[in-house]
Amino acid sequence: MGKLLVLTLLGAGLALIGERLVALRQRTNASREVRSVEPRSCHLIEGLENGSEDIDILPSGLAFISSGLKYPGMPSFAPNEPGQIFLMDLNEQNPRVQALNISGDFDKASFNPHGISTFIDEDKTVYLYVVNHPHMKSTVEKFKFEEQQHSLVHLKTIKHELLKSLNDIVVLGPEQFYATRDHYFTNFFLVLLEIILDLRWSHVLFYSPREVKVVAKGFSSANGITVSLDKKYFASRMFYLRSLKS
Ligand SMILES: *[C@@H]1O[C@H](CO)[C@@H](O)[C@H](O)[C@H]1NC(C)=O
Ligand SMILES: *[C@@H]1O[C@H](CO)[C@@H](O)[C@H](O)[C@H]1NC(C)=O
Ligand SMILES: *[C@@H]1O[C@H](CO)[C@@H](O)[C@H](O)[C@H]1NC(C)=O
């Protein structure tokens, strides 16, 4: 009798997982046929062969690019190389990338950048905020960009108990940003279960030195986030686009 019950539950469990996997394929359009399109004026940027995660472009045309993300279960082309931030000048005819030197009190060996966002203050100083996963944790690193030296000076590591499983960031003001959390669980197998069961538990956070809070929830996996030029609307993407009014 006990065995029969276990087998029944196992069968029901497997059927549920199968059904959720089919739903996931449909939701992400994973089974869609993709037609190959020849890129016209696109060319491979040398120096980024090992992947890139995010890009943010200054009004001057300088672009910051984070190197490919290293995360359990995700393929990495350079699993043993520390992460980097690259600079590219989009005004050049054939833009090339250059890895930025990082100085300051910062552990470069465990640098694993994810989403990035720039902020320019009243003195025209450029700051770069980077979601980092040192040893698979989540922090936000604040850097000052030294344009003459082509380097980043590490100023601060921002940590908070709500800043977990971070994905992307968009900076609004000095040490004020929205960040997305792309999964709720931190254990790898629970993360898989979360995706398969479509638990919409991930969310968007607001951070300022005075207040940290959840501002939008109910996402399967809140991924990229961006802001409109007037800073009135924010959009976060994954499976469906949703705009948040500030
Ligand atoms: C899936 O792909 C089809 C065809 O390209 C498109 O019309 C549809 O909106 C897509 N669905 C989702 C959920 O992205
Ligand atoms: C890519 O990764 C390989 C293996 O770690 C490394 O040898 C190579 O220098 C990397 N290339 C670039 C452009 O970073
Ligand atoms: C980075 O720093 C090293 C050591 O300080 C220096 O030798 C190198 O020239 C710097 N690279 C750039 C691109 O500034």
Side-chain angles (χ1 to χ4, degrees):
M1 209 37 202
K3 261 189 201 159
L4 190 62
L5 185 65
V6 169
L7 278 179
T8 310
L9 286 178
L10 189 69
L14 287 176
L16 177 70
I17 289 178
E19 189 269 329
R20 297 311 328 185
L21 281 176
V22 170
L24 180 70
R25 278 183 79 84
Q26 282 168 353
R27 210 163 76 229
T28 55
N29 251 345
S31 47
R32 177 179 49 151
E33 196 181 316
V34 180
R35 270 187 300 131
S36 144
V37 178
E38 199 56 42
R40 285 196 196 163
S41 55
C42 293
H43 61 271
L44 186 73
I45 303 286
E46 274 176 42
L48 293 178
E49 296 85 354
N50 288 337
S52 51
E53 218 295 324
D54 198 10
I55 182 167
D56 203 14
I57 305 172
L58 294 176
S60 66
L62 283 183
F64 295 93
I65 299 167
S66 53
S67 55
L69 179 69
K70 290 191 279 269
Y71 222 75
M74 302 223 335
S76 169
F77 294 116
N80 301 317
E81 308 267 320
Q84 285 181 309
I85 300 291
F86 300 97
L87 186 72
M88 190 161 94
D89 187 349
L90 299 179
N91 303 301
E92 286 173 11
Q93 191 71 23
N94 292 304
R96 288 162 307 133
V97 297
Q98 181 187 19
L100 291 174
N101 262 353
I102 297 179
S103 62
D105 184 16
F106 180 63
D107 178 22
K108 283 184 262 187
S110 66
F111 191 32
N112 186 6
H114 202 158
I116 62 177
S117 178
T118 51
F119 173 70
I120 306 175
D121 75 4
E122 291 147 4
D123 307 333
K124 306 264 179 277
T125 306
V126 175
Y127 295 91
L128 182 73
Y129 288 71
V130 180
V131 170
N132 185 18
H133 300 293
H135 310 293
M136 297 307 146
K137 293 193 168 65
S138 284
T139 60
V140 172
E141 312 293 345
K142 179 184 175 185
F143 298 97
K144 187 168 131 194
F145 175 51
E146 302 273 7
E147 191 164 350
Q148 302 304 320
Q149 289 87 14
H150 277 193
S151 70
L152 293 171
V153 181
H154 183 256
L155 299 179
K156 192 171 182 175
T157 295
I158 299 172
K159 290 183 197 171
H160 189 275
E161 56 177 12
L162 282 181
L163 300 179
K164 274 192 193 138
S165 310
L166 295 184
N167 184 308
D168 198 11
I169 180 169
V170 61
V171 180
L172 313 172
E175 289 179 30
Q176 261 183 43
F177 54 81
Y178 283 102
T180 53
R181 178 172 184 173
D182 58 12
H183 50 269
Y184 178 82
F185 292 117
T186 44
N187 176 287
F188 180 64
F189 292 100
L190 291 180
V191 171
L192 274 185
L193 200 66
E194 182 179 342
I195 294 170
I196 291 170
L197 294 181
D198 190 20
L199 302 178
R200 302 193 172 186
W201 288 357
S202 86
H203 45 241
V204 180
L205 298 149
F206 169 74
Y207 178 95
S208 76
R210 272 179 296 124
E211 191 185 22
V212 189
K213 61 183 178 183
V214 174
V215 288
K217 25 186 180 181
F219 294 88
S220 305
S221 182
N223 193 316
I225 186 162
T226 195
V227 60
S228 62
L229 282 179
D230 62 6
K231 299 198 176 172
K232 270 192 184 154
Y233 293 92
F234 298 84
S236 183
R237 169 188 68 93
M238 186 65 184
F239 303 152
Y240 31 69
L241 190 76
R242 187 189 286 189
S243 59
L244 320 161
K245 198 162 185 236
S246 67

